[in-house]
Amino acid sequence: MASIPRRWIGRLGIATLLVSLGVAAAALSASGDAPTAAPDVGAFAIEQQAASAPPGLYVSGARVTERTKERTSTKQLDNAALAPLLGKGSPVAVPSPDGRLLAYNSWRSTGPTGGTPTLRLFDFASSADIVLARGAQAPAWRHDGSLAYEQADAPAFGSTAPYQRRILVRDSASASPTVWTARADLYGVIGWAGDRLIVGRASPDGQSGELLAFDRPNSSHLLAVNSGLVAISPDGAHVLVSDGGPGLSTPLRLRLLDVTDGSETASLVLADEIGPSSGGPVEWVDVPGSWRGDLVVMTASPGLLVVRVGDKSVKAEQVLGLDLRQIGTDGVYEPRFVDGTKRIVLWGNSPEGTTPRTFQLDCDRVALTCLRGPDTLAASRPAYDRSGGTE
Amino acid sequence: MSKKMPIAALVVVVASLFAADLARAATITSFRYHRDSLINATLTLHRRDANTGRILNTDSWRAGSGTVQDACNKADPAHGDNVGGWLPTGFYDITRHVHNYPGSSVQGRVWQLQNHACSDGTVRTELFIHTEETSSGGQSCEQFCWDGPNDYYSQGCIKVARAGAAPTDIAEANNHWDAWDGRHGAFTAVDRLYVFT
């Protein structure tokens, strides 16, 4: 795709996509997981103020709700789940692999931009809710119940000094932590890839960074630089990263990297993909994405991008438009596959300047419909782990 | 300072520094950013009379901020997130102005801004007004090089051009600041950037 001039896209690109996606749809059908006719490009029709209750684990303020097809249960946390320093690129709450515990980020504010992040642990059975570490955030569970997080030397986040953190790992939630980075830096926990811990390290000016894979304390290798980490594969063997884009030296692309050594297994140049409404290219993709089976969904400039990842390939599956103006938001975030890979749930904020509210979008990527839920005051977020290697 | 400096010269230096302080105290130099586009917005620098508010000097440049139009979308490279929205609306303090900032991705003539919370509480951090140039103010393609309009995209910072005939936009902004305000290094200039739609 990279070699195709953009002016040809209108003629060649759609035809190419249709052919390749026809093959992909057939493969999907064979897998029995999703649809027989998922359109390759298109725009979602939005049904406003539509109630929906997708299955999964969600937090909203200090409430945690678990929905299955059979029942819905809600528990009360001692603190609101909040992560102002993480934004929407990392989960605000992360369930343990056995589903018994919830590690969640909370925040004690000391002003408009100051405060102390605190990592808390909630026990679903007893409703016990304890402080695990102050000045700590970004938990990620390993398949065996080990818990990684980052913790600042000075817990309070201020306005000037860099908020340097170390990476710590506990063998279990009740075990003492082991320091995995002897030196404090602008480290961030992203998730486990099997037994390796994927960590980001931002540059001192906070504008760029590198992705590292730690095998054990103080032992890591470089995976990528200046890249977004879209998702870790369910088997923990690969990471899907994005790099390049407008204003950068390389075109926007997705790269599939082997976690063992950072080598590139496959790549997809996105700058030539079609946007459904404008006919223009995909200009950006954002993280985090959701990886289930061999499909990954992520937010992108047109709305949503779904790609299919093979052993040595990354191919565009769908480029789907979301009319943010019609939905009434400045942006959407944290798309998650639920119920297989046909249904995608994501969230949005009310536009800047209005009372802060959030809403849920429950989308069907085959029928190209989205149910836009009502606005709620407490920010609603999915509880999930970016880790892979738990399957 | 040389011990041989004549007393008269010393007096002149001290007096000029004092005069500069007085001038600064009597005027306020501040930026305004009209956030009506990701990469085709307007950054304006005013010098106003501190007592009357009358604008004494003004200049404007094309500017950009963010990659997406969501002020709560925080770029967070430490957690593998490189996409950021444009700056939230409101007032910002300027906390630093230097000519030779040596960052790994931001270099040269910069104004550093205070952290700012967007409407849902997300704290935007590491915010600058800057361009694409090296710490010495030069061009080193690809990373520190102004290539064209796509360079107005950012992770949230406000960017102005370093292109065309001299003085470039960043040079004009820098020269005006130095003449109108004059502060360098780390300081706190309260509410010296206003972002609005």
Side-chain angles (χ1 to χ4, degrees), chain A residues 125-142:
Chain A
S126 66
S127 290
D129 191 329
I130 62 167
V131 171
L132 197 69
R134 295 189 193 283
Q137 60 183 5
W141 297 91
R142 194 164 64 190

Side-chain angles (χ1 to χ4, degrees), chain A residues 33 48 56 68 114 150 152 178 181 187 204 234 242 325 338 342 347 383:
Chain A
D33 185 25
Q48 303 285 353
T68 64
E150 63 201 55
T178 300
T181 56
Y187 286 117
S242 63
R325 188 169 298 178
V338 296
K342 182 184 171 195
W347 284 263

Side-chain angles (χ1 to χ4, degrees), chain A residues 84-90 112-113 138 150 157-159 165 186 188-190 200 202-208 226-229 246-247 249 284-287 330-331 349 352 356 386, chain B residues 35 67-74 76-83 86-89 101 103-106 115-117 119-123 125-128 142 150-151 153 155 157:
Chain A
L85 300 183
L86 298 177
K88 309 298 189 306
S90 302
T113 60
E150 63 201 55
F157 173 79
S159 58
R165 292 94 69 183
L186 298 178
V189 168
I190 296 174
S203 60
D205 59 18
Q207 308 296 315
S208 58
N226 298 335
S227 299
L229 197 143
S249 56
W284 55 264
V285 297
D286 205 357
V287 309
D330 293 330
N349 282 341
E352 191 180 15
R386 295 178 80 184
Chain B
R35 198 197 66 183
T67 301
V68 300
Q69 296 181 348
D70 180 358
C72 288
N73 189 329
K74 171 195 173 98
D76 185 7
H79 298 93
D81 185 354
N82 289 339
V83 174
W86 56 18
L87 280 184
T89 55
Y101 190 73
S104 52
S105 297
V106 174
N115 297 334
H116 201 286
S119 56
D120 74 359
T122 299
V123 180
T125 58
E126 285 91 23
L127 304 171
F128 298 85
E142 292 286 338
N150 276 343
D151 279 343
Y153 284 112
Q155 295 178 338
C157 295

Side-chain angles (χ1 to χ4, degrees), chain B residues 112-140:
Chain B
Q112 190 165 3
L113 309 173
Q114 71 173 128
N115 297 334
H116 201 286
C118 75
S119 56
D120 74 359
T122 299
V123 180
R124 303 292 302 275
T125 58
E126 285 91 23
L127 304 171
F128 298 85
I129 300 171
H130 70 103
T131 188
E132 294 279 341
E133 66 180 7
T134 64
S135 59
S136 59
Q139 294 283 277
S140 176

